[in-house]
């Protein structure tokens, strides 16, 4: 099992620290450094900045938002980043959510599965450097009846195939991800509930005549290092409450629905109710300790090593750590603990 690091969003006052974290992860042998985007910093600019200041670590988008770019633009960006980084780019995609898609990008959030499938299809055509011709429900290339003509990508990526990941939570999206992607970007993944994600991913692979062999299962998990496990969990409460309570609307919050599928229906209701009422402290307090513990790496190195063994046994191939919200010294210490724990677990 390999390790990754997730820098989260840029522009939150930790930008210089993030470069230091990425450089330390590179020195320690981490496999990949991911950057996110929502409606602030864009991931492409951040990744080019990180790639210029690192040497070996891959850089990945977690995620490029599908409503933010045309598929051809995403193919251009992926090819450029792969070239500039010397073949170190990983393309992570996701549909985002209805509030961001419609409120920020002005793109209707409808039929996200069909849109994702078509988006990936166009990207793969463009990246193959064949002349781009496509006729679908969302995009027609070239536009009919005009001056447009089939074009092909002029950039030559370092690799013939850039790994493509999809961030997915719901069962149908997970199944499609298994069918059309090279890897999966997960969140709030618990080894004890692995079947919720892996069964539909496996079904999707089977549709494509494949298995999970060679498919990168890459969940992001928060990490809090310390002797006091409860205190380590409490440090993650606001993060969990934000996603379960505040990401999306009351009717459509994918993270809230995931918590329900994991058996936390009552807690999910309470977290969302309090968060949407702007009782953020109450929402954080309502997150069950067991939920945080199941989806995070908490405590001393030895305990973290045990949990890493559970993640590996569940099938995880790249475990991405998110020591977000800490000081630089604490984040660096978490990176180093991650490597030490991986070695202690016999997984390095």
């Amino acid at each position: 099992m390999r390790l990754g690091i997730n820098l989260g969003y840029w522009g939150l006052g930790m930008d210089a620290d993030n470069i230091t974290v990425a450089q330390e992860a590179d020195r320690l042998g981490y496999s990949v450094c991911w950057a996110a985007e929502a409606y602030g910093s864009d991931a492409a600019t951040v990744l080019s900045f990180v790639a210029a200041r690192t040497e070996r670590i891959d850089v990945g988008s977690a995620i490029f938002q599908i409503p933010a770019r045309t598929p051809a633009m995403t193919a251009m960006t992926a090819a450029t980043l792969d070239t500039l980084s010397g073949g170190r780019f990983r393309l992570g995609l996701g549909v985002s959510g209805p509030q961001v898609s419609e409120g920020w990008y002005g793109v209707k959030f409808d039929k996200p599965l069909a849109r994702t499938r078509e988006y990936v299809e166009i990207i793969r055509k463009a990246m193959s450097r064949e002349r781009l011709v496509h006729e679908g429900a969302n995009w027609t290339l070239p536009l009919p009846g005009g001056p447009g003509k089939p074009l092909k990508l002029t950039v030559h990526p370092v690799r013939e195939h850039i790994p493509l990941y999809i961030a997915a939570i719901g069962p149908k999206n997970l199944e499609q991800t298994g069918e059309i992607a090279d890897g999966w970007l997960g969140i709030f993944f618990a080894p004890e509930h692995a079947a919720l994600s892996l069964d539909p991913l496996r079904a999707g692979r089977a549709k494509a005549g494949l298995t999970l062999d060679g498919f990168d299962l890459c969940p992001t998990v928060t990490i809090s290092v310390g002797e006091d496990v409860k205190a380590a969990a409490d440090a993650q409460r606001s993060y969990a409450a934000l996603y379960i309570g505040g990401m999306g609307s009351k009717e459509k919050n994918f993270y809230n629905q995931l918590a329900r599928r994991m058996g936390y229906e009552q807690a999910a209701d309470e977290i969302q109710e309090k968060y949407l009422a702007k009782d953020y402290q109450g929402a954080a307090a309502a997150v069950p300790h067991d939920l945080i513990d199941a989806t995070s790496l908490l405590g001393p190195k030895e305990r973290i090593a045990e949990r890493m063994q559970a993640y590996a046994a569940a099938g995880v191939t790249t475990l991405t750590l998110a020591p977000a919200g800490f000081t630089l010294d604490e984040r660096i210490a978490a990176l180093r603990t991650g490597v030490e724990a991986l070695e202690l677990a016999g997984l390095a």
Side-chain angles (χ1 to χ4, degrees):
M1 187 170 71
R2 301 174 295 275
L3 293 179
I5 178 70
N6 195 319
L7 299 179
Y9 304 110
W10 218 254
L12 299 179
M14 299 187 299
D15 296 352
D17 289 357
N18 277 339
I19 285 296
T20 303
V21 168
Q23 290 173 329
E24 180 66 6
D26 190 22
R27 187 188 71 80
L28 289 169
Y30 275 65
S31 175
V32 59
C33 176
W34 302 96
E37 64 184 19
Y39 44 95
S41 57
D42 76 285
T45 306
V46 170
L47 293 172
S48 63
F49 194 59
V50 171
R53 285 161 174 75
T54 54
E55 296 177 3
R56 296 170 299 277
I57 194 169
D58 282 4
V59 293
S61 54
I63 57 169
F64 281 168
Q65 298 168 305
I66 285 175
R69 302 169 181 83
T70 66
M73 181 71 242
T74 296
M76 290 168 59
T77 303
T80 305
L81 279 167
D82 197 57
T83 302
L84 290 175
S85 66
R88 291 188 284 140
F89 179 63
R90 303 187 194 184
L91 175 59
L93 302 171
V95 292
S96 189
Q99 290 183 322
V100 173
S101 183
E102 299 190 12
W104 188 247
Y105 296 116
V107 175
K108 190 73 174 173
F109 191 82
D110 59 349
K111 300 181 179 177
L113 293 181
R115 182 180 293 271
T116 298
R117 182 182 288 271
E118 192 175 343
Y119 199 89
V120 169
E121 188 177 319
I122 296 171
I123 287 173
R124 289 226 159 106
K125 284 182 182 177
M127 296 292 288
S128 72
R129 301 193 68 252
E130 65 180 82
R131 294 198 177 274
L132 191 53
V133 177
H134 177 86
E135 186 173 345
N138 298 285
W139 294 277
T140 300
L141 301 168
L143 286 175
K149 62 179 183 179
L151 301 172
K152 68 177 180 179
L153 187 70
T154 61
V155 175
H156 292 256
V158 174
R159 294 166 296 170
E160 291 185 3
H161 184 85
I162 293 175
L164 188 149
Y165 295 70
I166 295 175
I169 296 175
K172 291 181 180 179
N173 197 1
L174 284 162
E175 183 174 326
Q176 178 171 276
T177 296
E179 183 183 356
I180 68 174
D182 303 306
W184 167 62
L185 299 174
I187 189 171
F188 294 116
F189 178 83
E192 295 77 10
H193 299 280
L196 290 175
S197 302
L198 268 56
D199 284 355
L201 284 168
R202 193 175 286 110
R205 298 296 285 170
K207 276 187 175 181
L210 301 167
T211 69
L212 286 176
D213 290 344
F215 186 82
D216 196 9
L217 296 169
C218 184
T220 292
V221 300
T222 54
I223 178 170
S224 294
V225 182
E227 294 300 319
D228 188 336
V229 174
K230 182 180 183 304
D234 288 345
Q236 305 293 350
R237 286 188 172 278
S238 295
Y239 170 85
L242 167 64
Y243 279 83
I244 297 170
M247 284 289 191
S249 64
K250 184 174 177 60
E251 295 75 24
K252 191 166 286 189
N253 179 324
F254 306 123
Y255 310 99
N256 188 280
Q257 292 165 8
L258 175 59
R260 292 173 183 278
R261 290 196 296 274
M262 293 169 66
Y264 295 97
E265 295 93 341
Q266 185 174 343
D269 279 339
E270 184 178 357
I271 295 165
Q272 187 177 65
E273 181 180 344
K274 291 182 181 296
Y275 201 96
L276 295 181
K278 299 186 178 180
D279 178 8
Y280 304 129
Q281 289 186 340
V287 180
H289 172 86
D290 290 349
L291 174 57
I292 300 172
D293 195 18
T295 57
S296 307
L297 298 174
L298 307 174
K301 176 175 61 179
E302 294 75 15
R303 191 175 192 271
I304 289 172
E306 290 180 6
R307 289 301 291 166
M308 283 185 169
Q309 289 175 330
Y311 276 96
V316 171
T317 47
T318 302
L319 189 65
T320 296
L321 308 185
F326 301 100
T327 67
L328 176 59
D329 287 346
E330 288 171 325
R331 295 172 75 195
I332 294 295
L335 280 179
R336 293 171 180 167
T337 298
V339 171
E340 293 168 0
L342 193 74
E343 292 174 349
L344 183 61
L347 300 170

